[in-house]
Amino acid sequence: MDGLSRRRMLVAGGALGAVGALGAASPAGARSLWTWSPSGSVAGTGAGLDPEWVWDDEVDTLMASVIDRGDVPRVNEALRTWTRNDQVLPAGLPRDVGDFMEKARQLPSWADPDKLETAAEFNKSRGFYLNLLNGVGGGMLSTAIPREARSVYYSKGGADMEDRVAKTSLLGFAIGDLNAFRPDGDVIVHAVKTRMVHAAVRHLLPRSPAWSRTSGGQTIPISQADIMVTWHSLATYAMQKLVEWKVPVGVADASAYLHVWQVTAHMLGVRDEYIPATWNAANAQSKQVLDPILTSTREGVELTDILLGQLAEQTSPGGIDRPLVNALARFLVGDRVADMDRIPEEPFWEKVIATAWPKLIAFREKLIPLPLVPPLAWTIDEAARQYILFYLTKGKGTRIEIPDTNRPGSG
């Protein structure tokens, strides 16, 4: 069964009927039949199994054991000291956890060091756009992804969204660091830890009655399809927006930026046959797995309000208030997703942003002189800068840790 355990296939089979029935009853948020070909992947081939029914069996079994035998505190204590890509694994780890991590930290054979270096330079030169898109843009998309919103809301981190944003930021801005995959970087560290957290959540969330009532028939969260949906809400979405905004991106830079996300997906446990080989393949997969499932949920709306409230609170000292934050979020994700997230319309600021943003980009790219940039554009620029500061610095006082329970009160 190409890695699918008999237990999981039985569970998935039962869930498939439920999901099918729900999909027939309600097109909004329904998932299309998987038709994306593995010939478009970095592997170039594969079994063609629907990633909806593929998880991460090796680490799932491991983390279930760690949780059930009460080893989570021991593992988390050891993980706190593992902070660099080239660092020897902590001696305090249980042997089975250490054995898994040693394998999981290895880069795929197809990883290209030169492309990773080019990607690091690209992230440096385009960091303003990428951090804004992956931060506030990707954040607003994530709350319109029903499964992601509910997994976040009902897991342990959902009870403290400020800390949850911080933990998410760790991997996000590690990818954009100049030394991301270098020996002194930490992308590998955060990716392996995140992979283990995903496995822990897969073990814990099915025990939550609140999650089970709202999961749409899914009995095991964070499938390979779910991870790729999130991947597209970051990597593919960001590249699409750069193209839409006419930000100059050379062929080599575009290829390198894709490569860093390809390697990251592999490090998160995604099978190579599901990782797109080109931006055309990524756009095609995104159109199938991300676009149709975006919809509004109570949990997503609540999380959106919390996230935008945090940003407005962060930026208020500079004279920037919630209406501008709302308008910026709506501009980044568009009216369809913004309406799903119940982000209020802000006609004045939305018009200002739509008018000023192209000129602000042109000035940043040295295409027009300063006098042609509207004065209000600098207020928008400051709002973006403050969010990036919020996004990049919140994670410095936190760490990725294995959960051992769900959101308090959700079961």
Side-chain angles (χ1 to χ4, degrees), residues 71-377:
D71 260 350
V72 170
R74 177 185 172 190
V75 170
N76 281 334
E77 183 178 1
L79 289 180
R80 290 181 191 125
T81 66
W82 190 46
T83 59
R84 285 173 49 121
N85 293 334
D86 62 352
Q87 190 176 345
V88 175
L89 294 179
L93 287 169
R95 182 171 180 176
D96 54 353
V97 176
D99 288 346
F100 166 77
M101 290 175 63
E102 197 59 59
K103 290 186 295 182
R105 71 187 297 183
Q106 305 304 316
L107 293 179
S109 60
W110 45 264
D112 185 330
D114 292 335
K115 281 191 174 183
L116 294 177
E117 284 296 315
T118 300
E121 292 294 338
F122 176 68
N123 274 296
K124 180 181 178 182
S125 66
R126 295 291 185 266
F128 175 81
Y129 310 121
L130 296 174
N131 288 324
L132 183 63
L133 290 167
N134 289 330
V136 65
M140 295 303 98
L141 279 175
S142 73
T143 54
I145 298 170
R147 287 183 179 176
E148 185 166 350
R150 287 166 173 154
S151 291
V152 168
Y153 189 90
Y154 293 112
S155 62
K156 185 177 181 180
D160 184 350
M161 279 307 296
E162 187 163 337
D163 186 61
R164 181 64 171 76
V165 169
K167 284 178 167 58
T168 302
S169 300
L170 283 172
L171 179 60
F173 67 70
I175 293 171
D177 278 350
L178 190 59
N179 62 345
F181 281 94
R182 294 174 184 171
D184 61 336
D186 56 10
V187 165
I188 294 172
V189 171
H190 294 314
V192 173
K193 289 181 181 180
T194 300
R195 185 178 175 185
M196 294 165 67
V197 168
H198 285 168
V201 172
R202 279 191 286 266
H203 184 61
L204 292 167
L205 263 189
R207 302 177 179 181
S208 166
W211 177 80
S212 297
R213 285 194 301 269
T214 61
S215 66
Q218 187 181 42
T219 56
I220 304 172
I222 317 181
S223 67
Q224 299 258 303
D226 293 329
I227 296 175
M228 288 311 298
V229 165
T230 300
W231 189 92
H232 288 298
S233 75
L234 297 167
T236 308
Y237 159 73
M239 183 54 68
Q240 289 173 344
K241 297 303 287 188
L242 291 180
V243 172
E244 177 186 324
W245 291 346
K246 296 181 172 58
V247 176
V249 179
V251 174
D253 283 340
S255 177
Y257 184 63
L258 174 62
H259 190 65
V260 77
W261 280 100
Q262 290 168 331
V263 175
T264 300
H266 176 96
M267 301 304 292
L268 288 171
V270 176
R271 296 186 184 186
D272 290 352
E273 68 174 276
Y274 300 130
I275 304 173
T278 66
W279 281 119
N280 284 339
N283 287 328
Q285 189 184 95
S286 179
K287 187 175 182 179
Q288 182 177 80
V289 303
L290 173 62
D291 296 359
I293 57 92
L294 295 171
T295 194
S296 181
T297 63
R298 179 186 66 81
E299 297 84 357
V301 170
E302 185 175 332
L303 293 176
T304 298
D305 186 62
I306 292 171
L307 291 171
L308 293 180
Q310 289 176 353
L311 174 55
E313 182 180 349
Q314 173 77 10
T315 57
S316 288
I320 302 161
D321 55 16
R322 181 65 182 262
L324 176 51
V325 169
N326 291 339
L328 182 58
R330 291 188 67 91
F331 174 74
L332 290 172
V333 297
D335 289 342
R336 175 177 171 242
V337 172
D339 289 344
M340 291 174 182
D341 285 336
R342 308 284 174 84
I343 303 172
E345 294 184 19
E346 306 289 353
F348 170 76
W349 280 114
E350 288 178 49
K351 183 176 181 180
V352 169
I353 291 174
T355 302
W357 191 256
K359 293 183 178 180
L360 189 60
I361 288 179
F363 172 73
R364 282 183 169 275
E365 300 302 322
K366 299 180 174 58
L367 300 176
I368 64 171
L370 179 60
L372 295 181
V373 182
L376 272 175

